[in-house]
Amino acid sequence: MQRALRLDDVGRRYTIRGPWVLRGIDLTINAGELIRVEGTNGTGKSTLLRLLARTEAPTEGRVSGRPRTAYVPERFPSALPFTPVGYLTHLGTVHGLTRAAAARAADDWLTRFGAAPYARTPMTQLSKGSSQKVAVAQALLAEPELLVLDEAWTGLDTEARGELERAVAERTAAGGAVVFVDHDPSRLAGVPDATYRVHDGTLNRRTEQVTSPVGPYVVVEVQGPPDRRPPTAPHTRAEEPTPGTYRLTVPASHSDVLLRDLLTARPPWHVLSVIRADTPHIPHDQEDHR
Amino acid sequence: MTALLRYQAALLARSQRWLPPFILYAAFLGVGVQGGQPVLDSLGYAAAALLPVAAWLVRICVTGEPPAAGHCVAAAVGPGRAHLARLLVAWGASAALGAVATVVVTWISDPASSDHQTRVPPLQAAVAGLLAALACALLGTAVGALTTWPLLRSTGRAVPALLLAALLALVVSGSPAQAAVSGLVTGSRSGTVDFPLLPLAGAALLAAAATATACALTSRRSP
């Protein structure tokens, strides 16, 4: 399993006699997993993420597995002598794309994050939020097997935040692993496969399950031939109000992934309606009117 | 690796932080080299002046990339390779500078020994000068690699260490740079051209060792 990343009894400290920032960490990240890491400031979350991105080596213990990794730092500098397109093309080729593919991917991702208008403005003139979009695009354009996001949402505008959540959903649906830290507890709520808490230099898996994640949701009604189940995308709740018609409730971040699955299935499903909802459950008295 | 080198080279070229060392080197040569002087003396001077410039260029390449941007690249290719690219680009820049200086100095100098009595073949002198310049660029790169991140982090310690190490590399007998430069200057007295192959090999060995040390430490030290 080359693509899985494994930490065995990993510890990290920055000076020979200094305090341990992290110690006794055991963690496996498999392909397709979405992992959330929590913890108060200064507990070593960023250090853990850098160990996962393998930009730092552990002081003790072992890190094994080498997925193609991309990393989004907490604060991305705008002091780079490039334009966003120029920088992203360079980074795309560093990630192994050809120059043409890298330039195309750079344009696509900048457009997705609403950064196309300043794609050719020197990065030194960009605002903090705008350069954060470049940082995020840098990590996404090469479709990494492991995506490490260190508070990547901080500084992004609302549309870009939603886009990044959708991009994370796409990445995991495509079999990539994503590890993220974010201060907002509602970030991708209910979606992570596991949540870990860094506390006193150790890592604990949070066991209390967040059963009903807080919205927003997308409700998709689809029709297909009888006795055929719709594709069960992760985090999708399926109901069958009438035979052959399914009502699928999915976190808003994963709606595009679900729709793509439905429409590219063979034979494709027929989409009757797509409605945004703030709560997962639609009250019964309203159900009949739909 | 090609993409990585292209990225680092673009970072150096576009940042314009290469300008001060290039100007300093031009000033060194402007003061120390005049037209009509014995070619081997001038080439020795040009090669020696390249060493601190090469060390400075390494410092520029290593500190010029913001740490966060460095992490993005390191996640993709590994921190060791990312650092290797920085050092290679710095060495390439100083080697190119040394090559240009060698051509210019050979062109304007008098192809003769120190007492202007014996003729020195200019092409052979240029080759010897180029080899000496490469040796000094390599040793300067080694000095730069060992006196910046990840070995030394604080500027207050790194810059004096760089200057002192560069000076020592030029004057301590047994240093490849000192051997290469004094080989040219000694040859100038008698009008004989010695190719400084042994010093070049020694400098290459030291540069490789310094590069390996620095790259191996990148993932151990904090950013």
Side-chain angles (χ1 to χ4, degrees):
Chain A
M1 277 296 274
Q2 180 76 5
R3 285 175 69 184
L5 185 74
R6 224 176 103 177
L7 271 60
D8 288 309
D9 198 23
V10 160
R12 177 81 169 119
R13 58 178 170 186
Y14 286 104
T15 49
I16 294 173
R17 290 185 196 290
W20 288 95
V21 180
L22 294 170
R23 201 158 195 200
I25 308 283
D26 290 300
L27 179 64
T28 305
I29 292 165
N30 294 307
E33 278 185 342
L34 177 61
I35 310 268
R36 181 189 180 106
V37 177
E38 297 179 339
T40 44
N41 289 340
T43 46
K45 296 188 300 275
S46 292
T47 300
L48 176 65
L49 293 196
R50 286 198 294 268
L51 286 170
L52 293 174
R54 303 202 73 165
T55 66
E56 281 185 17
T59 315
E60 62 175 28
R62 227 170 84 81
V63 181
S64 47
R66 229 175 241 294
R68 285 192 305 109
T69 307
Y71 173 79
V72 180
E74 234 177 312
R75 249 173 267 103
F76 191 71
S78 50
L80 284 164
F82 298 109
T83 63
V85 162
Y87 174 70
L88 292 177
T89 308
H90 273 298
L91 265 280
T93 54
V94 167
H95 277 285
L97 301 179
T98 63
R99 270 189 87 72
R104 219 171 21 245
D107 272 328
D108 289 351
W109 282 102
L110 287 173
T111 307
R112 274 189 72 170
F113 283 102
Y118 41 84
R120 281 164 179 84
T121 307
M123 282 175 73
T124 42
Q125 292 172 24
L126 296 186
S127 69
K128 234 168 94 181
S130 305
S131 42
Q132 188 61 23
K133 291 179 180 179
V134 178
V136 169
Q138 162 274 133
L140 289 166
L141 54 74
E143 302 180 348
E145 289 165 356
L146 172 64
L147 178 61
V148 179
L149 304 171
D150 195 349
E151 297 185 17
W153 281 270
T154 310
L156 293 181
D157 52 44
T158 316
E159 290 78 28
R161 286 177 186 195
E163 193 62 45
L164 180 53
E165 291 195 357
R166 289 190 286 279
V168 166
E170 276 171 32
R171 206 81 289 289
T172 48
V178 180
V179 183
F180 74 99
V181 164
D182 199 67
H183 277 308
D184 185 352
S186 67
R187 178 78 52 227
L188 290 161
V191 187
D193 297 298
T195 301
Y196 291 91
R197 188 166 182 82
V198 184
H199 182 67
D200 281 343
T202 57
L203 192 65
N204 304 302
R205 187 169 180 152
R206 274 188 54 175
T207 40
E208 75 265 36
Q209 203 58 50
V210 193
T211 39
S212 61
V214 285
Y217 279 82
V218 170
V219 181
V220 183
E221 279 194 328
V222 291
Q223 214 172 39
D227 59 79
R228 183 166 168 239
R229 297 284 299 170
T232 49
H235 320 295
T236 308
R237 289 163 42 86
E239 296 163 272
E240 194 176 6
T242 53
T245 306
Y246 286 91
R247 178 176 296 148
L248 308 170
T249 309
V250 63
S253 56
H254 284 59
S255 62
D256 290 355
V257 172
L258 174 66
L259 285 168
R260 199 167 296 149
D261 283 356
L262 290 166
L263 295 172
T264 55
R266 302 187 65 175
W269 287 77
H270 170 49
V271 177
L272 294 171
S273 70
V274 181
I275 300 163
R276 191 181 166 92
D278 287 327
T279 49
H281 296 287
I282 299 142
H284 271 283
D285 54 339
Q286 284 183 17
E287 215 168 48
D288 301 329
H289 299 113
R290 281 170 191 262
Chain B
M1 199 68 196
T2 320
L4 200 52
L5 290 174
R6 202 181 287 137
Y7 163 70
Q8 286 294 345
L11 201 57
L12 175 66
R14 286 162 159 272
S15 75
Q16 291 171 5
R17 289 178 19 129
W18 55 270
L19 258 171
F22 272 51
I23 289 172
L24 179 77
Y25 189 58
F28 266 146
L29 295 189
V31 170
V33 176
Q34 261 122 45
Q37 285 176 338
V39 64
L40 287 173
D41 281 340
S42 295
L43 284 172
Y45 181 86
L50 189 62
L51 194 146
V53 170
W56 191 1
L57 278 167
V58 169
R59 190 168 169 75
I60 286 169
C61 283
V62 173
T63 57
E65 189 181 25
H71 274 122
C72 294
V73 173
V77 298
R81 280 166 70 91
H83 198 64
L84 177 64
R86 292 181 198 121
L87 299 181
L88 283 176
V89 164
W91 178 73
S94 46
L97 185 61
V100 171
T102 303
V103 170
V104 172
V105 167
T106 312
W107 188 263
I108 64 167
S109 296
D110 179 21
S113 61
S114 299
D115 52 9
H116 297 275
Q117 299 304 312
T118 319
R119 193 178 177 277
V120 173
L123 194 66
Q124 280 185 35
V127 171
L130 184 66
L131 293 177
L134 288 179
C136 287
L138 280 168
L139 206 63
T141 306
V143 165
L146 294 177
T147 56
T148 184
W149 185 87
L151 282 104
L152 290 178
R153 281 171 59 207
S154 84
T155 314
R157 263 185 254 163
V159 173
L162 182 146
L163 292 172
L164 187 67
L167 181 70
L168 289 177
L170 278 176
V171 298
V172 169
S173 61
S175 142
Q178 194 268 347
V181 171
S182 65
L184 289 180
V185 176
T186 320
S188 188
R189 278 187 216 131
S190 55
T192 52
V193 179
D194 281 334
F195 293 132
L197 289 172
L198 203 63
L200 181 64
L205 215 62
L206 286 174
T211 304
T213 308
C215 291
L217 281 173
T218 47
S219 61
R220 312 250 156 228
R221 295 301 173 92
S222 61

